[in-house]
Every structure is written in C-alpha cells, then in structure tokens.
Amino acid sequence: MLEEIKRTAAFIKAQTEDFAPEVGIVLGTGLGGFADGIEAVHTLEYKDIPGFPVSTVEGHKGRLIFGRVAGRRVVAMQGRFHYYEGYTMQQVTFPIRVMQQLGIRYLFVSNASGGINTSFRVGDLMVITDHINLMPNPLIGRNIAELGPRFPDMHNCYDKDLIAAATRIAEEEGIKLQYGVYVGGTGPTFETQAEYRYFKAIGGDAAGMSTVPEVIVARHMSIPVFGVSVITNCGLSDEVGDHEDVQLQGRKAGVKMERLFKRMIENLK
Ligand code: HPA
C-alpha cells in the first residue's frame, strides 16, 4: 500500500515539475466551481494517474488541479471517490495519502449534505465542527506506521484555529455560517424520516455520504483539516423543496464557500 502511494506520488511529482502543494482541497458535489478560481499550472486526469481508482461513472469529472489560490500553492480534487460507488475505503482515501506525500500541510474538504438541525435552511454553509462515522473505518487493516499511529486520536479533528479563522473571515465577508456535526453514512440512499430523526438524536446536524473517510486518514497523518458542508436539503422538513430552487441555492452557497476557502487559504500561516 505504502509503495503504491509513493509510486503514484513520484509519478505526479515528475508530471508537475515538483509543484509541492501546501494545501489539499477536496471539492464536493456541485462545488467544482472553485476550480475556475485556481490559477492552474498542471492538470492531471485521474484516469491518467497510475494507482488512482478508475471511475466507473459515465461523464464523471475527475482530475487533480495544481495551481495557485491567493498566491498559495494548492492541489484540488475536482471529483472525489465515494464508498457507495463500490470503491474500497483504501481507494476512497488513496488520493489524500498521495497528497500528503506531495507535501500538503492542510486539508480543506467540502461536500453537499442534508440538514438535520431544524434551524438550518437550504443554501446554508455549515462549518464541520465534528463528525460521527457510520461507514466502515478506512484505517481498518494493518496500520501503516510510517503514516501514523494504530489508534489515532480524533479530538480536534476539525482544526479549532481554522474554525476560528473561518468565523473571523465570514464576519468580514458578511457570510452567514452555521456550525455542526456531520454524520457520514454509506448512501447511496438518502435517509428515511426515521433515520434523519435518529441522526438528530445521536447529535448530528447534517447528513452526507462522503468526507469522513478522507478526514480520518488526514488526521491519522496529523494534517489539520477544515471542512464545510453546503446544506442542499432539509431532511426533517415536510416540504419537498422545489428542485430548481434547491439547485439555485446550492450554486449560491457554492459561491460563498469558494470565497471563504479563498480568503482562508490567503490567511494560512
Ligand atoms: N443525506 C445524505 N447525503 C446527502 C443529503 C442527505 O440528505 N443531501 C445531500 N447529500
């Protein structure tokens, strides 16, 4: 496994003239627009990267973009791998481990999720303050000691300093933020009403099908993480949202998220 990670990282380094990104970014469903704001230097399609999982989904956008955001070197994943697509957890999290080998010092993650907290509205941005993992743990199996410990600590999983920076920047930018706990399930079904109530009862604020595996492997490797969920639907609401409105709210929220990420990257130490 480690050899494969290193082989892929070496291939990418050769293709990108040792670009050495400082920040890794995972762009969630509908949030790929952030990629347009990157001054791209190199772009690699996942299918051209040895060791990367091969996408089974038709028309699935999958590429790594190396470039600059606010003068900082970043690598962004436009399109991620989900467990529900049939990948193993090792495959889902492989790109994060490769990014670590490329030298990232921070990981920014984003996703679309369903609000469970009844004060949330469609189009809200939720800063992830913690998560509950309802998927298989990606660290099950032999531990790769070179990457991290057998029993990694999950306190401060979402970096407190980065959350504080987000709060400050959002105030300056006039962006409203919600805060909460992300519950990661396998999908691909959305939750039943009873499941949304269960997620709420166990302490969740938003439900999704991604992010948690990537965050766990990043924290295994001691990389500070910042995460944001765009609330695209409200699970406990009886109203079935107008589809076009949901998409519009999603896009508007995406624009806010892009602005927040950009300013935060600009302000990194
Ligand atoms: N549940 C799980 N994943 C999701 C949802 C949801 O309600 N909305 C967007 N992704």
Side-chain angles (χ1 to χ4, degrees), residues 29-69:
T29 308
L31 300 170
F34 183 82
D36 299 335
I38 302 174
E39 295 163 47
V41 180
H42 300 280
T43 300
L44 299 177
E45 303 282 331
Y46 295 161
K47 65 174 171 43
D48 298 328
I49 306 175
F52 256 55
V54 176
S55 175
T56 51
V57 186
E58 285 280 329
H60 181 105
K61 218 183 231 174
R63 56 191 184 189
L64 278 185
I65 302 164
F66 295 82
R68 286 189 176 74
V69 170

mmCIF file of all heavy atoms in Angstrom, residues 29-69:
data_model
loop_
_atom_site.group_PDB
_atom_site.id
_atom_site.type_symbol
_atom_site.label_atom_id
_atom_site.label_comp_id
_atom_site.label_asym_id
_atom_site.label_seq_id
_atom_site.Cartn_x
_atom_site.Cartn_y
_atom_site.Cartn_z
ATOM 1 N N THR A 29 -19.684 17.595 -4.408
ATOM 2 C CA THR A 29 -20.715 17.655 -5.441
ATOM 3 C C THR A 29 -21.225 19.087 -5.623
ATOM 4 O O THR A 29 -21.612 19.732 -4.653
ATOM 5 C CB THR A 29 -21.908 16.749 -5.031
ATOM 6 O OG1 THR A 29 -21.390 15.474 -4.708
ATOM 7 C CG2 THR A 29 -22.933 16.636 -6.135
ATOM 8 N N GLY A 30 -21.177 19.566 -6.847
ATOM 9 C CA GLY A 30 -21.689 20.898 -7.156
ATOM 10 C C GLY A 30 -20.772 22.029 -6.742
ATOM 11 O O GLY A 30 -21.090 23.199 -6.920
ATOM 12 N N LEU A 31 -19.603 21.694 -6.198
ATOM 13 C CA LEU A 31 -18.703 22.737 -5.703
ATOM 14 C C LEU A 31 -17.430 22.841 -6.544
ATOM 15 O O LEU A 31 -16.471 23.512 -6.167
ATOM 16 C CB LEU A 31 -18.364 22.464 -4.228
ATOM 17 C CG LEU A 31 -19.613 22.439 -3.332
ATOM 18 C CD1 LEU A 31 -19.278 21.927 -1.941
ATOM 19 C CD2 LEU A 31 -20.236 23.823 -3.248
ATOM 20 N N GLY A 32 -17.472 22.198 -7.690
ATOM 21 C CA GLY A 32 -16.314 22.194 -8.585
ATOM 22 C C GLY A 32 -15.977 23.572 -9.126
ATOM 23 O O GLY A 32 -14.888 23.783 -9.661
ATOM 24 N N GLY A 33 -16.891 24.530 -8.979
ATOM 25 C CA GLY A 33 -16.681 25.883 -9.480
ATOM 26 C C GLY A 33 -15.447 26.545 -8.888
ATOM 27 O O GLY A 33 -14.851 27.428 -9.516
ATOM 28 N N PHE A 34 -15.053 26.106 -7.699
ATOM 29 C CA PHE A 34 -13.858 26.647 -7.056
ATOM 30 C C PHE A 34 -12.644 26.481 -7.967
ATOM 31 O O PHE A 34 -11.729 27.307 -7.970
ATOM 32 C CB PHE A 34 -13.611 25.927 -5.724
ATOM 33 C CG PHE A 34 -12.448 26.453 -4.939
ATOM 34 C CD1 PHE A 34 -12.574 27.576 -4.142
ATOM 35 C CD2 PHE A 34 -11.204 25.828 -5.001
ATOM 36 C CE1 PHE A 34 -11.495 28.074 -3.426
ATOM 37 C CE2 PHE A 34 -10.128 26.317 -4.285
ATOM 38 C CZ PHE A 34 -10.272 27.441 -3.492
ATOM 39 N N ALA A 35 -12.689 25.401 -8.750
ATOM 40 C CA ALA A 35 -11.555 25.090 -9.643
ATOM 41 C C ALA A 35 -11.316 26.221 -10.645
ATOM 42 O O ALA A 35 -10.168 26.482 -11.026
ATOM 43 C CB ALA A 35 -11.813 23.773 -10.360
ATOM 44 N N ASP A 36 -12.390 26.920 -11.048
ATOM 45 C CA ASP A 36 -12.234 28.012 -12.023
ATOM 46 C C ASP A 36 -11.411 29.158 -11.452
ATOM 47 O O ASP A 36 -10.829 29.947 -12.205
ATOM 48 C CB ASP A 36 -13.610 28.543 -12.453
ATOM 49 C CG ASP A 36 -14.444 27.465 -13.123
ATOM 50 O OD1 ASP A 36 -13.836 26.522 -13.675
ATOM 51 O OD2 ASP A 36 -15.684 27.563 -13.075
ATOM 52 N N GLY A 37 -11.392 29.278 -10.128
ATOM 53 C CA GLY A 37 -10.650 30.360 -9.495
ATOM 54 C C GLY A 37 -9.187 30.015 -9.221
ATOM 55 O O GLY A 37 -8.452 30.835 -8.684
ATOM 56 N N ILE A 38 -8.796 28.793 -9.576
ATOM 57 C CA ILE A 38 -7.402 28.397 -9.361
ATOM 58 C C ILE A 38 -6.590 28.798 -10.594
ATOM 59 O O ILE A 38 -7.000 28.526 -11.724
ATOM 60 C CB ILE A 38 -7.286 26.860 -9.149
ATOM 61 C CG1 ILE A 38 -8.131 26.420 -7.949
ATOM 62 C CG2 ILE A 38 -5.820 26.441 -8.973
ATOM 63 C CD1 ILE A 38 -8.184 24.906 -7.753
ATOM 64 N N GLU A 39 -5.469 29.461 -10.359
ATOM 65 C CA GLU A 39 -4.561 29.713 -11.488
ATOM 66 C C GLU A 39 -3.811 28.417 -11.724
ATOM 67 O O GLU A 39 -2.785 28.146 -11.093
ATOM 68 C CB GLU A 39 -3.565 30.808 -11.138
ATOM 69 C CG GLU A 39 -4.173 32.176 -10.895
ATOM 70 C CD GLU A 39 -3.186 33.072 -10.156
ATOM 71 O OE1 GLU A 39 -2.005 33.113 -10.560
ATOM 72 O OE2 GLU A 39 -3.583 33.675 -9.157
ATOM 73 N N ALA A 40 -4.355 27.613 -12.630
ATOM 74 C CA ALA A 40 -3.842 26.249 -12.815
ATOM 75 C C ALA A 40 -2.478 26.250 -13.488
ATOM 76 O O ALA A 40 -2.224 27.025 -14.410
ATOM 77 C CB ALA A 40 -4.829 25.444 -13.624
ATOM 78 N N VAL A 41 -1.621 25.399 -12.990
ATOM 79 C CA VAL A 41 -0.288 25.229 -13.576
ATOM 80 C C VAL A 41 -0.197 23.854 -14.250
ATOM 81 O O VAL A 41 0.356 23.718 -15.342
ATOM 82 C CB VAL A 41 0.813 25.384 -12.498
ATOM 83 C CG1 VAL A 41 2.197 25.212 -13.100
ATOM 84 C CG2 VAL A 41 0.704 26.755 -11.811
ATOM 85 N N HIS A 42 -0.781 22.850 -13.583
ATOM 86 C CA HIS A 42 -0.821 21.487 -14.145
ATOM 87 C C HIS A 42 -2.177 20.874 -13.827
ATOM 88 O O HIS A 42 -2.703 21.081 -12.730
ATOM 89 C CB HIS A 42 0.242 20.585 -13.515
ATOM 90 C CG HIS A 42 1.642 21.077 -13.708
ATOM 91 N ND1 HIS A 42 2.339 20.890 -14.872
ATOM 92 C CD2 HIS A 42 2.469 21.749 -12.869
ATOM 93 C CE1 HIS A 42 3.541 21.430 -14.747
ATOM 94 N NE2 HIS A 42 3.649 21.967 -13.538
ATOM 95 N N THR A 43 -2.717 20.125 -14.767
ATOM 96 C CA THR A 43 -3.956 19.386 -14.518
ATOM 97 C C THR A 43 -3.751 17.937 -14.935
ATOM 98 O O THR A 43 -3.261 17.678 -16.038
ATOM 99 C CB THR A 43 -5.122 20.006 -15.320
ATOM 100 O OG1 THR A 43 -5.272 21.373 -14.899
ATOM 101 C CG2 THR A 43 -6.421 19.277 -15.059
ATOM 102 N N LEU A 44 -4.098 17.027 -14.040
ATOM 103 C CA LEU A 44 -3.966 15.602 -14.345
ATOM 104 C C LEU A 44 -5.328 14.925 -14.201
ATOM 105 O O LEU A 44 -5.980 15.051 -13.162
ATOM 106 C CB LEU A 44 -2.973 14.920 -13.389
ATOM 107 C CG LEU A 44 -1.520 15.412 -13.368
ATOM 108 C CD1 LEU A 44 -0.717 14.656 -12.312
ATOM 109 C CD2 LEU A 44 -0.878 15.222 -14.740
ATOM 110 N N GLU A 45 -5.737 14.216 -15.258
ATOM 111 C CA GLU A 45 -6.975 13.430 -15.181
ATOM 112 C C GLU A 45 -6.706 12.207 -14.315
ATOM 113 O O GLU A 45 -5.638 11.583 -14.440
ATOM 114 C CB GLU A 45 -7.389 12.957 -16.587
ATOM 115 C CG GLU A 45 -7.581 14.067 -17.605
ATOM 116 C CD GLU A 45 -8.897 14.805 -17.443
ATOM 117 O OE1 GLU A 45 -9.870 14.191 -16.961
ATOM 118 O OE2 GLU A 45 -8.939 15.996 -17.778
ATOM 119 N N TYR A 46 -7.676 11.853 -13.478
ATOM 120 C CA TYR A 46 -7.485 10.670 -12.620
ATOM 121 C C TYR A 46 -7.131 9.432 -13.448
ATOM 122 O O TYR A 46 -6.314 8.613 -13.044
ATOM 123 C CB TYR A 46 -8.756 10.355 -11.800
ATOM 124 C CG TYR A 46 -9.143 11.399 -10.778
ATOM 125 C CD1 TYR A 46 -10.433 11.435 -10.258
ATOM 126 C CD2 TYR A 46 -8.222 12.344 -10.308
ATOM 127 C CE1 TYR A 46 -10.813 12.377 -9.313
ATOM 128 C CE2 TYR A 46 -8.603 13.289 -9.366
ATOM 129 C CZ TYR A 46 -9.894 13.306 -8.876
ATOM 130 O OH TYR A 46 -10.270 14.238 -7.947
ATOM 131 N N LYS A 47 -7.769 9.329 -14.623
ATOM 132 C CA LYS A 47 -7.552 8.111 -15.424
ATOM 133 C C LYS A 47 -6.104 8.017 -15.922
ATOM 134 O O LYS A 47 -5.656 6.936 -16.297
ATOM 135 C CB LYS A 47 -8.538 8.047 -16.588
ATOM 136 C CG LYS A 47 -8.382 9.136 -17.636
ATOM 137 C CD LYS A 47 -9.333 8.859 -18.797
ATOM 138 C CE LYS A 47 -9.415 9.998 -19.799
ATOM 139 N NZ LYS A 47 -8.163 10.648 -20.193
ATOM 140 N N ASP A 48 -5.394 9.117 -15.909
ATOM 141 C CA ASP A 48 -4.003 9.102 -16.374
ATOM 142 C C ASP A 48 -3.007 8.954 -15.228
ATOM 143 O O ASP A 48 -1.789 9.022 -15.439
ATOM 144 C CB ASP A 48 -3.690 10.398 -17.148
ATOM 145 C CG ASP A 48 -4.565 10.533 -18.383
ATOM 146 O OD1 ASP A 48 -4.905 9.474 -18.967
ATOM 147 O OD2 ASP A 48 -4.914 11.667 -18.756
ATOM 148 N N ILE A 49 -3.522 8.819 -13.995
ATOM 149 C CA ILE A 49 -2.626 8.721 -12.838
ATOM 150 C C ILE A 49 -2.547 7.263 -12.393
ATOM 151 O O ILE A 49 -3.539 6.710 -11.906
ATOM 152 C CB ILE A 49 -3.110 9.606 -11.663
ATOM 153 C CG1 ILE A 49 -3.317 11.052 -12.121
ATOM 154 C CG2 ILE A 49 -2.114 9.534 -10.497
ATOM 155 C CD1 ILE A 49 -3.904 11.982 -11.052
ATOM 156 N N PRO A 50 -1.391 6.621 -12.543
ATOM 157 C CA PRO A 50 -1.275 5.221 -12.137
ATOM 158 C C PRO A 50 -1.576 5.067 -10.650
ATOM 159 O O PRO A 50 -1.120 5.885 -9.843
ATOM 160 C CB PRO A 50 0.188 4.866 -12.424
ATOM 161 C CG PRO A 50 0.782 6.023 -13.121
ATOM 162 C CD PRO A 50 -0.141 7.188 -13.047
ATOM 163 N N GLY A 51 -2.370 4.070 -10.311
ATOM 164 C CA GLY A 51 -2.698 3.814 -8.912
ATOM 165 C C GLY A 51 -4.004 4.462 -8.486
ATOM 166 O O GLY A 51 -4.612 4.046 -7.507
ATOM 167 N N PHE A 52 -4.436 5.505 -9.205
ATOM 168 C CA PHE A 52 -5.711 6.144 -8.850
ATOM 169 C C PHE A 52 -6.854 5.202 -9.249
ATOM 170 O O PHE A 52 -6.776 4.533 -10.270
ATOM 171 C CB PHE A 52 -5.872 7.494 -9.572
ATOM 172 C CG PHE A 52 -5.633 8.678 -8.674
ATOM 173 C CD1 PHE A 52 -4.446 8.782 -7.973
ATOM 174 C CD2 PHE A 52 -6.589 9.677 -8.528
ATOM 175 C CE1 PHE A 52 -4.205 9.863 -7.143
ATOM 176 C CE2 PHE A 52 -6.364 10.771 -7.696
ATOM 177 C CZ PHE A 52 -5.181 10.860 -7.008
ATOM 178 N N PRO A 53 -7.905 5.186 -8.427
ATOM 179 C CA PRO A 53 -9.062 4.362 -8.795
ATOM 180 C C PRO A 53 -9.606 4.812 -10.151
ATOM 181 O O PRO A 53 -9.534 5.997 -10.484
ATOM 182 C CB PRO A 53 -10.072 4.653 -7.684
ATOM 183 C CG PRO A 53 -9.281 5.210 -6.561
ATOM 184 C CD PRO A 53 -8.112 5.905 -7.168
ATOM 185 N N VAL A 54 -10.122 3.891 -10.902
ATOM 186 C CA VAL A 54 -10.695 4.223 -12.204
ATOM 187 C C VAL A 54 -12.185 4.459 -11.998
ATOM 188 O O VAL A 54 -12.881 3.619 -11.429
ATOM 189 C CB VAL A 54 -10.452 3.075 -13.211
ATOM 190 C CG1 VAL A 54 -11.125 3.378 -14.536
ATOM 191 C CG2 VAL A 54 -8.954 2.861 -13.407
ATOM 192 N N SER A 55 -12.654 5.607 -12.450
ATOM 193 C CA SER A 55 -14.059 5.944 -12.256
ATOM 194 C C SER A 55 -14.948 5.061 -13.116
ATOM 195 O O SER A 55 -14.675 4.840 -14.289
ATOM 196 C CB SER A 55 -14.307 7.407 -12.593
ATOM 197 O OG SER A 55 -15.685 7.658 -12.500
ATOM 198 N N THR A 56 -16.000 4.565 -12.487
ATOM 199 C CA THR A 56 -16.946 3.715 -13.215
ATOM 200 C C THR A 56 -18.132 4.534 -13.705
ATOM 201 O O THR A 56 -18.925 4.074 -14.500
ATOM 202 C CB THR A 56 -17.475 2.605 -12.280
ATOM 203 O OG1 THR A 56 -17.938 3.218 -11.073
ATOM 204 C CG2 THR A 56 -16.393 1.596 -11.952
ATOM 205 N N VAL A 57 -18.223 5.754 -13.221
ATOM 206 C CA VAL A 57 -19.390 6.581 -13.540
ATOM 207 C C VAL A 57 -19.152 7.331 -14.843
ATOM 208 O O VAL A 57 -18.142 7.999 -15.007
ATOM 209 C CB VAL A 57 -19.672 7.596 -12.392
ATOM 210 C CG1 VAL A 57 -20.959 8.358 -12.658
ATOM 211 C CG2 VAL A 57 -19.731 6.879 -11.054
ATOM 212 N N GLU A 58 -20.102 7.206 -15.758
ATOM 213 C CA GLU A 58 -20.024 7.917 -17.037
ATOM 214 C C GLU A 58 -20.005 9.429 -16.812
ATOM 215 O O GLU A 58 -20.728 9.940 -15.962
ATOM 216 C CB GLU A 58 -21.264 7.599 -17.892
ATOM 217 C CG GLU A 58 -21.285 6.232 -18.535
ATOM 218 C CD GLU A 58 -20.432 6.159 -19.795
ATOM 219 O OE1 GLU A 58 -20.309 7.174 -20.492
ATOM 220 O OE2 GLU A 58 -19.879 5.073 -20.049
ATOM 221 N N GLY A 59 -19.190 10.112 -17.570
ATOM 222 C CA GLY A 59 -19.194 11.572 -17.541
ATOM 223 C C GLY A 59 -18.757 12.162 -16.206
ATOM 224 O O GLY A 59 -18.961 13.341 -15.941
ATOM 225 N N HIS A 60 -18.168 11.352 -15.400
ATOM 226 C CA HIS A 60 -17.718 11.766 -14.065
ATOM 227 C C HIS A 60 -16.450 12.603 -14.224
ATOM 228 O O HIS A 60 -15.474 12.142 -14.798
ATOM 229 C CB HIS A 60 -17.432 10.475 -13.280
ATOM 230 C CG HIS A 60 -16.991 10.662 -11.881
ATOM 231 N ND1 HIS A 60 -17.809 10.440 -10.816
ATOM 232 C CD2 HIS A 60 -15.792 11.028 -11.371
ATOM 233 C CE1 HIS A 60 -17.147 10.661 -9.703
ATOM 234 N NE2 HIS A 60 -15.925 11.012 -10.015
ATOM 235 N N LYS A 61 -16.511 13.825 -13.727
ATOM 236 C CA LYS A 61 -15.328 14.670 -13.823
ATOM 237 C C LYS A 61 -14.344 14.246 -12.742
ATOM 238 O O LYS A 61 -14.718 14.171 -11.575
ATOM 239 C CB LYS A 61 -15.721 16.134 -13.611
ATOM 240 C CG LYS A 61 -14.938 17.083 -14.515
ATOM 241 C CD LYS A 61 -15.298 18.533 -14.245
ATOM 242 C CE LYS A 61 -15.641 19.248 -15.545
ATOM 243 N NZ LYS A 61 -16.121 20.610 -15.341
ATOM 244 N N GLY A 62 -13.152 13.939 -13.123
ATOM 245 C CA GLY A 62 -12.191 13.522 -12.123
ATOM 246 C C GLY A 62 -10.806 13.998 -12.496
ATOM 247 O O GLY A 62 -10.195 13.486 -13.428
ATOM 248 N N ARG A 63 -10.348 15.025 -11.802
ATOM 249 C CA ARG A 63 -8.989 15.495 -12.085
ATOM 250 C C ARG A 63 -8.369 16.205 -10.905
ATOM 251 O O ARG A 63 -9.063 16.722 -10.030
ATOM 252 C CB ARG A 63 -8.971 16.384 -13.319
ATOM 253 C CG ARG A 63 -9.899 17.553 -13.230
ATOM 254 C CD ARG A 63 -10.002 18.212 -14.591
ATOM 255 N NE ARG A 63 -10.824 19.401 -14.504
ATOM 256 C CZ ARG A 63 -11.247 20.095 -15.544
ATOM 257 N NH1 ARG A 63 -10.926 19.739 -16.758
ATOM 258 N NH2 ARG A 63 -11.989 21.155 -15.363
ATOM 259 N N LEU A 64 -7.065 16.203 -10.917
ATOM 260 C CA LEU A 64 -6.295 16.932 -9.915
ATOM 261 C C LEU A 64 -5.801 18.207 -10.566
ATOM 262 O O LEU A 64 -5.202 18.161 -11.641
ATOM 263 C CB LEU A 64 -5.058 16.125 -9.497
ATOM 264 C CG LEU A 64 -5.189 15.024 -8.454
ATOM 265 C CD1 LEU A 64 -3.806 14.472 -8.148
ATOM 266 C CD2 LEU A 64 -5.832 15.561 -7.170
ATOM 267 N N ILE A 65 -6.053 19.321 -9.907
ATOM 268 C CA ILE A 65 -5.621 20.611 -10.443
ATOM 269 C C ILE A 65 -4.547 21.179 -9.527
ATOM 270 O O ILE A 65 -4.781 21.360 -8.328
ATOM 271 C CB ILE A 65 -6.811 21.585 -10.546
ATOM 272 C CG1 ILE A 65 -7.887 20.970 -11.438
ATOM 273 C CG2 ILE A 65 -6.363 22.945 -11.081
ATOM 274 C CD1 ILE A 65 -9.226 21.632 -11.318
ATOM 275 N N PHE A 66 -3.383 21.443 -10.080
ATOM 276 C CA PHE A 66 -2.276 22.045 -9.338
ATOM 277 C C PHE A 66 -2.169 23.505 -9.764
ATOM 278 O O PHE A 66 -2.113 23.798 -10.957
ATOM 279 C CB PHE A 66 -0.954 21.340 -9.664
ATOM 280 C CG PHE A 66 -0.916 19.911 -9.203
ATOM 281 C CD1 PHE A 66 -1.495 18.911 -9.963
ATOM 282 C CD2 PHE A 66 -0.318 19.578 -8.002
ATOM 283 C CE1 PHE A 66 -1.485 17.589 -9.536
ATOM 284 C CE2 PHE A 66 -0.292 18.263 -7.565
ATOM 285 C CZ PHE A 66 -0.880 17.265 -8.328
ATOM 286 N N GLY A 67 -2.179 24.396 -8.789
ATOM 287 C CA GLY A 67 -2.094 25.805 -9.168
ATOM 288 C C GLY A 67 -2.033 26.695 -7.952
ATOM 289 O O GLY A 67 -1.753 26.236 -6.838
ATOM 290 N N ARG A 68 -2.327 27.975 -8.162
ATOM 291 C CA ARG A 68 -2.239 28.941 -7.061
ATOM 292 C C ARG A 68 -3.593 29.555 -6.750
ATOM 293 O O ARG A 68 -4.367 29.863 -7.652
ATOM 294 C CB ARG A 68 -1.238 30.034 -7.409
ATOM 295 C CG ARG A 68 0.196 29.532 -7.313
ATOM 296 C CD ARG A 68 1.238 30.634 -7.427
ATOM 297 N NE ARG A 68 2.576 30.058 -7.213
ATOM 298 C CZ ARG A 68 3.213 29.304 -8.095
ATOM 299 N NH1 ARG A 68 2.655 29.056 -9.278
ATOM 300 N NH2 ARG A 68 4.402 28.810 -7.818
ATOM 301 N N VAL A 69 -3.833 29.711 -5.454
ATOM 302 C CA VAL A 69 -5.007 30.435 -4.955
ATOM 303 C C VAL A 69 -4.456 31.462 -3.990
ATOM 304 O O VAL A 69 -3.751 31.102 -3.036
ATOM 305 C CB VAL A 69 -6.002 29.499 -4.230
ATOM 306 C CG1 VAL A 69 -7.080 30.300 -3.523
ATOM 307 C CG2 VAL A 69 -6.618 28.506 -5.208
#
